[in-house]
Amino acid sequence: MEKVKAFYKKYLNNSFFFCLVWAFILNLIIETLARKGFGGFLFLFDSPLVFFYNTLIIFATLVIATLFRRRVFFVTVVTIIWMAIGITNGIILIERMTPFTVKDLSAITDGATIITNYFSMTEIVLIGAAILAGIIGLVILWIKAPKKEEHVNWKRNVAAVVLVIAFTFGATFGLIKVNVLSTFFGNLAYAYDYYGVPYCFINTWLNTGINKPKGYSEEEVKAIFSKDQYNEDGTMKLEQTDVDEEYPNILFLQLESFVDPELFNNIELSSDPIPTFRKMMKDYSSGSLTVPACGAGTANTEFEVMTGLSVKFFGPGEYPFKSVLKEKTGESIAFDLKSMGYSTHAIHNHRALFYNRNEVFNNIGYDTFTSLEYMSDVPKTPKNWAKDTILTKQILDAMNSTKERDYIYTISVQGHGKYPTEQLIKNPKVTVTDAPSEELKWKYEYYVNQVYEMDQFVKELTDTLSKYDEDVILVMYGDHIPALDVTESSYDAKDLYQTQYVIWSNFDMEKKDMNLTTYQLAAEVFDRIGIHTGTTIKYHQSVDHKSKDYLSNLKMLGYDMLYGQDYIYGGSNPFEKSGMKMGVKSIKIDKVVNIGGKYYIKGQNFTEYSKVTLNGETLKTIYLGPSLLGLLEEVDPADAVNMKVSQIDKSNKEIISTTE
């Protein structure tokens, strides 16, 4: 007993030793949550140096508690933070294939809007109750937790804390230098496995934007292109001279979580879910498409296609739509095609505010953006996502809204997870006849039937466009693989970042199959139809993709265009906000009618998201049809003339646009 007391007094009662042991335990828990089974222990034995380095990171945060008398409270707070990171990462990895990053915190409002698609109301209530209990527990702990009786030895403790933190920084730079750690994460999921959750999570916080390339200067930037690509004043030639020629309407269709299900070798299907898309791959230009996302991250696929830049140049896990492009204008294929007289449109059958698209699209050159709030009578999947069949009408409305040639970027949503672990589709068109487990059977069966309906939508759209009286080129592809516990061994593709694309047209085009990345896709499509305008478009079209400077020069262009001195543009950003309009059809009030003391608003193009507003306040409104709204509360007759109709985001009640 005396030996036990002596051990406790010497070690366990020592705050620094306790923090070190506790850091080890926390790290083991966090890494176990990030891996299946006993993955945390396997990580400890397979990569002990990296494991103990991550323990050091946690230790460096815990020892700060030694500077306070309320050490128990501060250790508890730090523990809660690390456990929250570990638990959140574990839950996210169940639902998607991309781990938890600091950038996800910027998307927390977006995540809250779709939480019911992932969790039941009971689970949501339990999560809320747990958070509330945690807050109450912290308050009680602050009041009741013991304080260290003696005064803090400031000189010793501050010196020790500084030494631990300095050693952690030194270990970081040393391990990076000897290539045990890396600051470049080509695959975020693999990086978390290789380098540990604490290090990678902090990296997603500190490593943002595009780092200034070595040797960045005006001369280096201008040397990327030949002299004939510049005007006499040294600015880049951004406009194409033969704009009067008849170029086709250009449509991009980004299909949510759409891949060839026959590439999943761990299941068997009763029939082909994508007969239309498969036939198109045989008849039209097609190939594999390397995308920047895996199981989630739709917006980064959009970014690469629209800008011709790679998100790998940015910080790990970063969404440029939530960082730089939310704050400033930037070149995209929308701006490039506007310079040729194209009208530019974006369409998405989900919320306008998701990934800040309502702001970003205005910053990168779109004339209109038709989101879910501007679509009426939208059919939904059993998991409450909008079905893609609604998009055919939206695309045609956009094309018919202008006399000019149109560029339309459409983002679908039907194939989105979470995929249910029980049977939701009673009479599926395609059944899973063999799967590793009952749970996976229902997940895959739900997914392949959504893909089947998406394939039917593709048939409907191309049948309609084949009769259109103008030339149309339609580029279709999946944004990433579905979040279905897919592994490289169960997916018969080069890796988990492969989807498929098809370039369809209603006019004759030579079939030319090749594998591409998303940041190369637009340049290749434009080259096929004779369009050679735009900074990154010209770059991809004129440079050997196998050259050693291909990606480094593209990164320098990206830095210059988004963070640097705009040398490629002559020293100033030439792009202004496009003044984007929400929806291609105007929402109008024709008249307000009072019948028996009840107000009815007659007008045009109302949707389920249309609400009557008065002096900025949203009134209780019932949608009665595209031309009629009913008011469910009393209004002073003198104020009735001031009523307006606004499109309201249902998730956070934000007004997207208002029409008098």
Side-chain angles (χ1 to χ4, degrees), residues 535-549:
T535 306
T536 60
I537 295 297
K538 287 182 178 180
Y539 180 76
H540 290 302
Q541 290 176 349
S542 61
V543 175
D544 180 4
H545 294 183
K546 295 181 180 179
S547 67
K548 64 183 180 72
D549 296 328

Side-chain angles (χ1 to χ4, degrees), residues 285-289 501 512-516 524 528 545:
S285 298
S286 63
S288 291
L289 185 68
Y501 77 90
K512 182 182 177 184
D513 295 343
M514 62 190 303
N515 297 332
L516 296 167
E524 178 61 29
R528 303 270 185 100
H545 294 183

Side-chain angles (χ1 to χ4, degrees), residues 424-485:
L424 286 189
I425 303 173
K426 299 303 180 185
N427 297 298
K429 294 290 185 180
V430 183
T431 58
V432 174
T433 58
D434 187 41
S437 66
E438 187 80 359
E439 182 179 287
L440 280 178
K441 169 184 168 67
W442 299 128
K443 281 187 174 184
Y444 275 100
E445 190 161 286
Y446 179 89
Y447 168 73
V448 296
N449 278 279
Q450 300 312 313
V451 167
Y452 170 80
E453 290 191 10
M454 295 166 74
D455 187 72
Q456 294 300 298
F457 151 62
V458 166
K459 184 179 188 306
E460 174 193 20
L461 176 62
T462 50
D463 284 349
T464 302
L465 293 176
S466 65
K467 302 169 187 174
Y468 201 71
D469 59 0
E470 297 175 9
D471 286 349
V472 178
I473 185 168
L474 171 64
V475 189
M476 298 171 283
Y477 53 92
D479 60 349
H480 52 70
I481 65 171
L484 276 168
D485 302 320

Side-chain angles (χ1 to χ4, degrees), residues 103 182-185 199-211 312-318 555:
K103 309 303 185 302
S182 176
T183 56
F184 173 72
F185 300 164
Y199 170 72
C200 290
F201 185 81
I202 291 174
N203 217 299
T204 66
W205 170 37
L206 300 177
N207 187 359
T208 60
I210 303 177
N211 292 327
K312 288 184 178 180
F313 302 152
F314 293 79
E318 184 170 354
K555 180 179 180 180

Side-chain angles (χ1 to χ4, degrees), residues 324-340:
V324 61
L325 287 181
K326 184 183 177 184
E327 307 300 332
K328 66 173 293 185
T329 59
E331 185 177 356
S332 76
I333 56 177
F335 272 129
D336 297 335
L337 292 174
K338 278 169 71 77
S339 72
M340 296 179 63

Side-chain angles (χ1 to χ4, degrees), residues 11-201:
Y11 295 107
L12 297 185
N13 197 37
N14 182 292
S15 298
F16 287 93
F17 183 78
F18 172 81
C19 287
L20 181 60
V21 173
W22 189 234
F24 175 87
I25 295 171
L26 282 177
N27 192 37
L28 188 61
I29 295 171
I30 290 169
E31 296 299 346
T32 299
L33 289 169
R35 297 163 169 82
K36 294 181 179 179
F38 297 98
F41 290 95
L42 293 176
F43 182 51
L44 167 61
F45 292 113
D46 289 343
S47 305
L49 182 59
V50 177
F51 182 91
F52 283 109
Y53 164 74
N54 281 275
T55 298
L56 180 62
I57 292 176
I58 298 174
F59 176 55
T61 61
L62 286 170
V63 294
I64 296 173
T66 63
L67 301 178
F68 305 94
R69 292 183 65 194
R70 296 180 183 268
R71 293 180 184 179
V72 173
F73 175 80
F74 284 103
V75 166
T76 302
V77 170
V78 175
T79 297
I80 289 173
I81 292 171
W82 281 114
M83 284 301 297
I85 293 170
I87 292 170
T88 303
N89 186 55
I91 292 173
I92 282 177
L93 288 175
I94 293 173
E95 306 297 345
R96 74 183 194 196
M97 304 175 72
T98 307
F100 182 45
T101 72
V102 172
K103 309 303 185 302
D104 288 320
L105 296 175
S106 67
I108 196 167
T109 53
D110 288 342
T113 65
I114 59 173
I115 192 171
T116 54
N117 295 71
Y118 289 90
F119 299 102
S120 67
M121 285 306 300
T122 301
E123 291 170 328
I124 293 170
V125 170
L126 289 174
I127 292 170
I131 293 172
L132 180 61
I135 294 171
I136 294 172
L138 281 176
V139 173
I140 294 173
L141 185 64
W142 173 263
I143 298 170
K144 299 289 187 179
K147 298 180 185 178
K148 189 172 177 61
E149 293 181 4
E150 68 271 17
H151 291 292
V152 175
N153 188 331
W154 279 99
K155 288 184 178 180
R156 183 195 67 184
N157 288 11
V158 169
V161 169
V162 169
L163 184 63
V164 170
I165 293 174
F167 183 73
T168 304
F169 275 101
T172 303
F173 291 117
L175 292 175
I176 290 172
K177 194 170 184 64
V178 297
N179 295 320
V180 172
L181 298 176
S182 176
T183 56
F184 173 72
F185 300 164
N187 181 315
L188 197 61
Y190 290 170
Y192 271 63
D193 279 343
Y194 297 154
Y195 309 128
V197 175
Y199 170 72
C200 290
F201 185 81

